[in-house]
């Protein structure tokens, strides 16, 4: 079905009694009941950007910065694998606190020693970095567009441009990554139409995974006093995204638990098929303040307890892209021939 912006906007605005149940049925049809557990390792909190909503922003000078040593990262990955995690998400701010080659060696070591997929979530980087990390064995790259409203994007990100991120996603696809994007729900001034644009842009980008997460206001940032979005609204976005986007991975992000105690469970009943667990050692967690939350509860053990309550099995495979492999290959070949894919302007708006 080809959804229009008006149809999506109206569904986001009005919801409907059966919306969440319909999204849950669509999730079952496209993804099955098994839930993929992704383990996040927040290996560096250094960041040179100044995003208005994020506790890691460079103006937060009071925050001690760290980069985990490689051997500690590998120990954490080993523990995660023992807990049933089949994808490791290596996450950091955008900075040159570590070298490309160092991260490439960490990726190679993980792929060599463990039977896991590796997702990178380290922001916009030069093409050579993407290439080096892909060659080292990274499978996926998450680069959220945050908001498709270009004015809102500019106001919240004084030192980066939306088109840069979209161009980054296209490059990543060409390098052979499975790619992911996503948005923030509840930004000040964000409208239902903006959220519809986020979903449409995600569809146009043809991604393998998409994370739609609620804004959790963080103290010490310009958005500290923004009212927290209601869980019902955030669930509605996940549900509509599932209906529109079909067979892609959609996580119940840890931010859902920051807006409601059972937030991730509810997201998994509203269209999500992936659960995030935080593997970061406790001594670093307090320093990775993208937002405040009960981070101690986001462990792999807790995630598995949630799945047991839901009666959903833990997936035993790595949870790669749901699109057929041949399709990804054809895509790459076509775009290698055509050069870099242009992201249509009409999917963003001011
Ligand atoms: S959102 Fe990412 S790029 Fe922006 S300040 Fe936070 S860590 Fe840095």
């Amino acid at each position: 079905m080809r959804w229009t912006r008006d149809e999506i906007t109206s569904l986001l605005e009005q919801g409907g009694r059966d919306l969440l149940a319909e999204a849950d049925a669509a999730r079952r049809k496209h993804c099955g009941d098994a839930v993929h557990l992704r383990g996040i390792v927040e290996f560096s909190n250094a960041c040179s950007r100044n995003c208005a909503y994020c506790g890691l922003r460079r103006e937060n000078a009071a925050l001690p910065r760290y980069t985990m040593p490689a051997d500690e990262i590998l120990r954490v990955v080993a523990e995660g694998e023992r807990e049933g995690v089949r994808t490791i998400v290596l996450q950091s701010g955008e900075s040159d606190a570590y070298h490309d080659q160092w991260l490439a060696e960490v990726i190679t070591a993980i792929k060599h020693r463990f039977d896991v997929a590796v997702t990178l979530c380290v922001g916009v980087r030069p093409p050579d970095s993407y290439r080096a990390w892909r060659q080292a064995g990274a499978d996926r790259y998450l680069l959220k567009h945050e908001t498709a409203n270009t004015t809102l994007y500019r106001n919240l990100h004084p030192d980066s441009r939306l088109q840069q991120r979209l161009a980054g996603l296209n490059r990543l696809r060409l390098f052979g990554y499975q790619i992911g994007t996503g948005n923030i729900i509840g930004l000040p001034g964000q409208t239902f139409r903006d959220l519809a644009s986020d979903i449409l842009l995600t569809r146009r980008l043809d991604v393998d995974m998409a994370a739609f997460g609620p804004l959790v206001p963080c103290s010490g940032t310009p958005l500290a006093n923004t009212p927290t979005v209601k869980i019902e609204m955030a669930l509605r976005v996940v549900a509509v995204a599932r209906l529109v986007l079909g067979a892609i991975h959609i996580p119940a992000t840890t931010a859902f638990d920051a807006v409601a105690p059972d937030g991730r469970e509810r997201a998994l009943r509203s269209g999500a098929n992936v659960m995030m667990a935080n593997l970061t050692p406790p001594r670093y967690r307090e320093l990775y303040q993208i937002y405040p939350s009960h981070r101690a509860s986001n462990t792999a053990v807790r995630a598995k307890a949630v799945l047991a309550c839901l009666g959903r099995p833990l997936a035993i495979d790595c949870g790669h892209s749901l699109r057929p492999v041949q399709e990804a290959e054809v895509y790459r070949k076509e775009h290698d021939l055509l050069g870099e894919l242009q992201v249509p302007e009409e999917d963003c708006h001011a």
Side-chain angles (χ1 to χ4, degrees):
M1 174 174 174
R2 297 298 293 179
W3 293 80
T4 66
R5 196 185 309 268
D6 285 344
E7 286 167 342
I8 297 173
T9 304
S10 146
L11 202 50
L12 287 168
E13 203 162 1
Q14 291 159 18
R17 212 159 35 98
D18 298 330
L19 173 62
L20 305 189
E22 275 178 35
D24 198 37
R27 182 272 308 157
R28 188 171 300 115
K29 174 181 151 201
H30 293 297
C31 316
D33 275 336
V35 175
H36 297 282
L37 189 56
R38 320 284 203 209
I40 307 173
V41 183
E42 297 158 333
F43 69 92
S44 174
N45 71 348
C47 192
S48 58
R49 303 278 188 201
N50 221 16
C51 307
Y53 45 82
C54 179
L56 302 192
R57 64 204 306 268
R58 70 166 182 271
E59 279 182 13
N60 190 358
L63 184 70
R65 305 287 171 162
Y66 71 85
T67 297
M68 288 171 62
D71 58 347
E72 194 171 12
I73 296 174
L74 293 174
R75 275 202 301 278
V76 166
V77 174
E79 281 165 29
E81 192 192 41
R82 275 198 295 277
E83 291 291 347
V85 168
R86 299 295 313 280
T87 291
I88 297 296
V89 183
L90 294 175
Q91 183 167 305
S92 76
E94 282 184 37
S95 91
D96 52 9
Y98 53 86
H99 293 297
D100 288 359
Q101 185 54 31
W102 174 84
L103 182 54
E105 285 166 14
V106 170
I107 295 164
T108 302
I110 292 174
K111 295 296 287 188
H112 185 68
R113 294 190 205 174
F114 308 103
D115 183 18
V116 294
V118 171
T119 300
L120 298 179
C121 182
V122 298
V124 175
R125 302 289 178 140
D128 284 349
S129 308
Y130 298 148
R131 186 185 292 109
W133 297 332
R134 176 73 185 134
Q135 285 170 351
D139 302 277
R140 310 181 194 135
Y141 205 109
L142 178 62
L143 193 58
K144 288 174 69 174
H145 66 268
E146 314 294 12
T147 172
N149 180 323
T150 50
T151 305
L152 199 48
Y153 187 94
R154 211 169 27 247
N155 293 343
L156 296 170
H157 307 91
D159 44 16
S160 81
R161 289 186 308 116
L162 177 57
Q163 282 297 339
Q164 246 178 352
R165 289 183 95 73
L166 302 184
L169 279 163
N170 288 328
R171 283 208 187 90
L172 289 160
R173 171 73 89 198
L174 296 180
F175 285 134
Y177 286 92
Q178 297 164 47
I179 57 169
T181 191
N183 78 343
I184 302 176
I185 307 160
L187 293 167
Q190 187 180 49
T191 64
F192 290 110
R193 201 164 173 77
D194 290 331
L195 291 168
S197 295
D198 288 335
I199 293 172
L200 282 174
L201 177 60
T202 302
R203 185 177 70 184
R204 182 69 78 122
L205 288 166
D206 202 17
V207 292
D208 305 284
M209 51 195 176
F212 303 93
L215 172 72
V216 186
C218 184
S219 62
T221 68
L223 266 54
N225 297 320
T226 305
T228 304
V229 67
K230 289 200 165 39
I231 180 75
E232 290 76 13
M233 184 63 235
L235 294 174
R236 212 182 280 174
V237 174
V238 167
V240 175
R242 170 60 73 199
L243 294 178
V244 174
L245 301 173
I248 69 167
H249 292 298
I250 298 180
T253 63
T254 52
F256 272 90
D257 270 4
V259 292
D262 56 351
R264 283 185 302 171
E265 288 98 309
R266 292 170 73 180
L268 285 169
R269 286 199 300 261
S270 308
N273 71 311
V274 171
M275 196 167 191
M276 312 305 291
N278 195 334
L279 304 180
T280 311
R283 69 194 176 104
Y284 298 116
R285 276 190 209 174
E286 287 307 307
L287 302 177
Y288 204 92
Q289 297 179 0
I290 43 178
Y291 53 76
S293 66
H294 306 293
R295 298 167 67 76
S297 66
N298 293 331
T299 61
V301 172
R302 161 94 179 110
K304 285 191 285 185
V306 167
L307 296 189
C309 283
L310 286 173
R312 300 260 293 271
L314 181 65
I316 53 170
D317 64 304
C318 287
H320 283 307
S321 176
L322 294 165
R323 71 169 70 223
V325 174
Q326 306 89 314
E327 198 182 308
E329 279 304 307
V330 168
Y331 182 99
R332 194 152 64 243
K333 281 188 187 132
E334 279 176 3
H335 290 91
D336 277 346
L337 290 174
L338 293 174
E340 195 164 296
L341 175 67
Q342 296 297 309
V343 175
E345 292 282 346
E346 70 263 23
D347 280 340
C348 312
H349 68 275

